[in-house]
Amino acid sequence: MSKILVIGSLNLDYVIDVEEMPKIGETIIGNSIKKVPGGKGANQAYAIGKLGGDVSMIGAVGNDDAGKILINNLKNVNVNTKGIEIIDNEVTGQAYIHVNKKGENSITVISGANSLVDKELIDRNINLINDAEYIIMQFEIPLEIVKYVKEIAISKGKKIIIDPAPAVKNIDKDLYQGSYILKPNELELATLSGKELNNIEEYKTELIKMQSNGVNQVICTLGEEGCLHYNGEEFKKFDCKKTKVVDTTAAGDTFTAALVISLSEGKNIYESIDFAQKAASITVSKRGAQSSIPSRDEI
């Protein structure tokens, strides 16, 4: 099994259960609130650890109770947390997640310590980059750091997986050029492309553009419609594993994590996507971020 490194965000999520999303100017009464460990980077590291992967994480938290909760939660599934630095006089990242009765969510993120992941922090943990074969990153840390790590890692022959969330308009292709896998969902794909996308053929056109800009393979997840893979030669559509949707939080993170752990175990890309689909289908059947991520036995 190859070693995996996740570089990214750690947030304590406040999950608010509501009947409907609040409209502009509207006050609503929520049904409940829960504090759940989250952050796209931490979710992915947690999922890999829970699925039995050899995973480390680089990131930052504040010197507060939330930071301690997040680090301890990762340690509980055997994630190597030595690359997570505790920063004084800064709050740990937070996310406020409204989940409606359909399981749909809207998320507001406060970056906190995540915004302080810098080149010096990366350089202090360069041994973790050297040891890993697969390196996963997202866009909840500064984008210049994503590019910095990507260039270092590619020079060392590492396989980079970029989950471009939250997506950014008018993004410089240098940010993902050279990556092994780029994995947007359909909304992120539209944001990255700078235009509205309405059907599979339009998705395919944008995936071709991204792959031709120097990405080895592109996978676009499509929610209940499954996902679409393009390797520069052919497209393959994967249907979704049907399940009752309770909460979609962390489904994309679970997909990415399960995909990479399967690849690290020597499975091919199609087997790995199938495994990732199964894992994500379990995640959406439960509430919360890391609390919804399945074990290997469940999959």
Side-chain angles (χ1 to χ4, degrees):
M1 180 189 297
S2 303
K3 290 188 176 183
I4 303 168
L5 173 64
V6 177
I7 302 176
S9 57
L10 300 100
N11 296 325
L12 188 61
D13 293 349
Y14 295 81
V15 182
I16 305 165
D17 180 38
V18 297
E19 289 297 310
E20 303 290 347
M21 298 298 181
K23 299 179 178 65
I24 293 174
E26 180 183 22
T27 298
I28 64 172
I29 302 297
N31 297 324
S32 65
I33 184 169
K34 293 181 181 178
K35 290 192 290 186
V36 181
K40 297 194 72 64
N43 290 345
Q44 292 168 6
Y46 182 91
I48 294 167
K50 192 169 182 180
L51 292 172
D54 187 346
V55 59
S56 302
M57 184 171 181
I58 294 175
V61 297
N63 190 6
D64 51 26
D65 289 342
K68 295 181 179 71
I69 289 170
L70 294 171
I71 290 175
N72 288 334
N73 204 55
L74 292 174
K75 287 181 177 178
N76 287 339
V77 290
N78 299 314
V79 176
N80 176 2
T81 61
K82 292 180 180 179
I84 301 173
E85 298 195 3
I86 299 172
I87 299 177
D88 290 329
N89 302 315
E90 184 56 77
V91 298
T92 296
Q94 301 165 49
Y96 295 85
I97 305 171
H98 285 82
V99 181
N100 69 13
K101 61 186 177 183
K102 297 179 182 177
E104 300 165 330
N105 65 46
S106 64
I107 305 174
T108 301
V109 174
I110 307 299
S111 294
N114 295 313
S115 65
L116 301 181
V117 175
D118 56 17
K119 292 180 180 180
E120 289 74 24
L121 190 156
I122 297 299
D123 292 344
R124 287 193 293 272
N125 293 282
I126 196 69
N127 61 305
L128 296 176
I129 293 176
N130 293 335
D131 290 344
E133 179 177 353
Y134 294 91
I135 298 174
I136 306 173
M137 291 185 287
Q138 327 77 33
F139 288 176
E140 287 184 341
I141 58 173
L143 296 185
E144 62 266 26
I145 302 306
V146 174
K147 184 177 180 180
Y148 179 69
V149 172
K150 188 207 70 170
E151 291 174 347
I152 292 173
I154 289 175
S155 73
K156 295 176 178 290
K158 310 301 181 181
K159 293 177 180 175
I160 308 299
I161 293 85
I162 293 182
D163 185 348
V168 180
K169 293 181 179 179
N170 303 315
I171 194 170
D172 187 342
K173 67 181 180 182
D174 287 346
L175 198 61
Y176 57 80
Q177 198 169 42
S179 57
Y180 181 57
I181 296 173
L182 182 67
K183 192 220 74 68
N185 64 25
E186 74 273 33
L187 298 177
E188 292 154 0
L189 182 64
T191 300
L192 294 173
S193 68
K195 56 189 174 184
E196 185 176 336
L197 304 176
N198 299 300
N199 55 58
I200 289 290
E201 292 308 312
E202 292 180 358
Y203 299 152
K204 287 181 177 180
T205 298
E206 296 307 317
L207 295 185
I208 290 171
K209 290 179 183 177
M210 288 183 170
Q211 197 277 335
S212 66
N213 282 331
V215 177
N216 185 279
Q217 302 179 67
V218 189
I219 301 169
C220 181
T221 52
L222 306 170
E224 64 182 12
E225 297 300 319
C227 69
L228 186 62
H229 170 261
Y230 181 61
N231 61 7
E233 296 180 358
E234 64 178 358
F235 286 95
K236 185 171 176 60
K237 174 77 163 48
F238 293 78
D239 291 332
C240 183
K241 310 298 179 183
K242 300 302 180 183
T243 189
K244 180 181 179 181
V245 176
V246 174
D247 180 3
T248 58
T249 306
D253 298 329
T254 302
F255 181 98
T256 300
L259 174 79
V260 177
I261 191 173
S262 182
L263 291 170
S264 79
E265 294 171 346
K267 302 294 193 303
N268 66 40
I269 189 66
Y270 299 132
E271 293 171 316
S272 298
I273 290 173
D274 186 61
F275 182 69
Q277 291 269 76
K278 291 176 181 176
S281 72
I282 296 172
T283 296
V284 301
S285 70
K286 305 177 186 179
R287 292 196 180 276
Q290 290 170 33
S291 58
S292 69
I293 291 169
S295 66
R296 179 72 65 129
D297 287 345
E298 285 180 275
I299 298 174

